[in-house]
Amino acid sequence: MSKEITARSEDYSQWYNDLVLKGGLADYSAVKGCMVIKPYGYALWERMQAVLDGKFKETGHQNAYFPLFIPKSFLSKEAAHVEGFAKECAVVTHYRLKNDPNGAGVIVDPEAKLEEELIVRPTSETIIWNTYKTWIQSYRDLPLLINQWANVVRWEMRTRLFLRTAEFLWQEGHTAHATEQEAVAEARLMLEVYADFVENYLALPVVKGTKSPSERFAGAVDTYCIEALMQDGKALQAGTSHFLGQNFAKAFDVQFTNKENKLDYVWATSWGVSTRMIGALVMAHSDDDGLVMPPRIAPLQVVVVPIYKGEDQKKQLDERILPLVKAVRDAGISIKYDDSDNARPGWKFAEYELKGVPVRIAIGARDLENGVAEVARRDTREKMSLPLEGLPGRIARLLEEIQQNLYDRALAFRQDHITRVDDFDTFQKVLDEKGGFVSAHWDGTAETEEKIKELSKATIRCIPLDNPQEAGKCVLTGKPSKERVLFARAY
């Protein structure tokens, strides 16, 4: 099975595509720029949804749903927002088809033109804030904490499965607050929720920070982000949380009567993560033999493969294994007993290795006699013989060991790939030869930021929240700088 996968060292991009396709996560679609998420990939997304949805509700948020279509005029109300998304919007202009009188199939009915074009949702700030105008009148209506699970369309033609597609799945939170301080605290809180999820479930260390003005979300006052590092040394933005100030409230005239009985505009945030996280998980942990799934997020944590000859041996194995499987499942661990007879054990081993199942257990007749099972862990490929007595507890501990090992491994890689640089020649050399995050001084101007991007294809990924203040000189211009920022080439 592994021979079908391109090696990372040979072609990282093809390796990634091979894993997504052959690991059963997604497939290409007949619709250019879109993908089909296969059951295994969707099960992974469902696991992510379930954990995040629980965290959102723990912090007081409720789910709602808003229209897929947005009147074009709504996007014109916030200038920076429309400028940021105009080039990515899909537009609905007609509402009906008809048969071609010349017999060439169906055509757009020219008489069915919409009075106002509709934009297929690229993000929902405008339609939501138009709705909030009717929901918010008084400080008693605040804070309003709403999340939406939805699909969005951003017209991309140069695509990569999960990382960049014309349509993708995500969640988007949209909150309204009485004060600036409350809104900033909300944006920071949700950044912490994302960081906790990515680190403790995806086993992927992140850098928390703010975006430079040029990299902010269109219409935001501040964008907070979590940045992760992939095995090829490129960065990936794993989540963002935006403090929107009063921009959208003013654009859609969302005012409330405050405690002093005066009218004021509400303060806003928005925040989101998407199916891009699946791509991050694949690239951060997997190897040349297939996917590697962190146990806490894996759709399937344990698989048991019986090895037998004849129905008599199979019956003996079933009698011992089925209670064991139930005990593991009762411990809250997802487990599958693969006793199908349509493939040999060796094929099954390779298939579950490809899919990244964290723990594989093999039990044969001789194992039963000895009261043991062969247990293989996917992260290190280590095999061990463990007693059947007390096995559920050992499996639970092993899953936690694997989870921690994956995080520690990714953290060590990240730490080894943060390089302090003080001159532009070294800056370029590190990017070309080592990759990763480059910690360098920047003079704070958009012009310098754009010039560095033009020369190196690297962008400012974030300004870390815990950034130490230190005097220095910009890596490109030599102008004074008060702190380093993290540059990287990115997805």
Side-chain angles (χ1 to χ4, degrees), residues 135-395:
W135 290 5
I136 298 170
Q137 278 82 43
S138 161
Y139 70 89
R140 295 182 179 88
D141 300 319
L142 300 172
L144 185 58
L145 308 176
I146 300 293
N147 175 64
Q148 170 174 250
W149 292 97
N151 62 334
V152 293
V153 171
R154 296 181 184 175
W155 208 252
E156 297 273 2
M157 301 315 292
R158 296 183 62 186
T159 59
R160 181 174 293 181
L161 296 168
F162 288 115
L163 298 178
R164 192 172 294 276
T165 49
E167 179 193 13
F168 55 92
L169 306 181
W170 76 350
Q171 58 74 212
E172 48 180 322
H174 298 271
T175 70
H177 304 265
T179 68
E180 177 180 8
Q181 292 78 11
E182 287 178 13
V184 170
E186 164 76 7
R188 294 286 293 265
L189 170 66
M190 299 319 294
L191 185 77
E192 293 297 332
V193 168
Y194 287 153
D196 174 71
F197 170 72
V198 174
E199 293 195 334
N200 289 307
Y201 286 84
L202 304 192
L204 184 54
V206 295
V207 179
K208 294 176 286 189
T210 58
K211 289 291 188 183
S212 66
S214 300
E215 295 286 328
R216 282 178 193 150
F217 176 74
V221 175
D222 245 330
T223 288
Y224 300 94
C225 62
I226 51 173
E227 294 287 328
L229 197 61
M230 304 297 99
Q231 291 182 71
D232 64 344
K234 286 186 179 179
L236 186 140
Q237 179 180 286
T240 51
S241 180
H242 315 290
F243 168 54
L244 303 177
Q246 295 175 309
N247 292 348
F248 286 90
K250 290 178 178 177
F252 289 89
D253 195 28
V254 184
Q255 298 186 70
F256 72 105
T257 304
N258 63 25
K259 290 182 179 180
E260 288 73 43
N261 206 33
K262 295 179 180 178
L263 273 180
D264 195 7
Y265 289 103
V266 298
W267 298 82
T269 79
S270 66
W271 30 272
V273 294
S274 74
T275 40
R276 166 177 269 231
M277 288 191 300
I278 295 177
L281 182 148
V282 171
M283 289 195 292
H285 299 305
S286 302
D287 59 28
D288 289 351
D289 293 303
L291 301 168
V292 176
M293 294 282 177
R296 289 182 192 166
I297 208 67
L300 177 62
Q301 295 170 304
V302 181
V303 63
V304 182
V305 178
I307 301 172
Y308 59 91
K309 292 180 181 178
E311 285 303 311
D312 288 343
Q313 277 193 5
K314 170 69 164 55
K315 186 177 179 181
Q316 290 177 352
L317 288 170
D318 286 349
E319 289 175 356
R320 186 67 180 88
I321 294 174
L322 289 174
L324 180 69
V325 169
K326 183 180 184 302
V328 172
R329 189 173 288 125
D330 289 346
I333 296 167
S334 62
I335 184 170
K336 176 181 178 179
Y337 180 35
D338 189 350
D339 61 347
S340 60
D341 59 3
N342 58 356
R344 296 178 67 83
W347 189 94
K348 292 178 183 180
F349 293 169
E351 181 70 6
Y352 290 116
E353 185 174 82
L354 175 62
K355 289 184 174 293
V357 177
V359 171
R360 184 188 77 233
I361 301 173
I363 303 178
R366 185 171 295 178
D367 295 316
L368 274 191
E369 291 175 10
N370 296 325
V372 298
E374 181 190 85
V375 177
R377 50 187 290 178
R378 178 63 183 88
D379 60 333
T380 62
R381 314 288 296 282
E382 178 188 356
K383 294 179 183 178
M384 62 200 86
S385 182
L386 296 179
L388 292 175
E389 189 69 33
L391 189 60
R394 291 187 179 89
I395 294 301

Side-chain angles (χ1 to χ4, degrees), residues 37-49 297-300:
I37 302 177
K38 297 180 75 173
Y40 191 53
Y42 200 80
L44 183 55
W45 177 239
E46 285 179 317
R47 286 283 300 129
M48 294 179 177
Q49 274 186 303
I297 208 67
L300 177 62

Side-chain angles (χ1 to χ4, degrees), residues 229 231 233 411-419 434-438:
L229 197 61
Q231 291 182 71
L411 179 61
F413 179 84
R414 205 268 312 269
Q415 293 302 94
D416 190 49
H417 286 79
I418 298 178
T419 308
K434 181 180 179 183
F437 290 118
V438 178

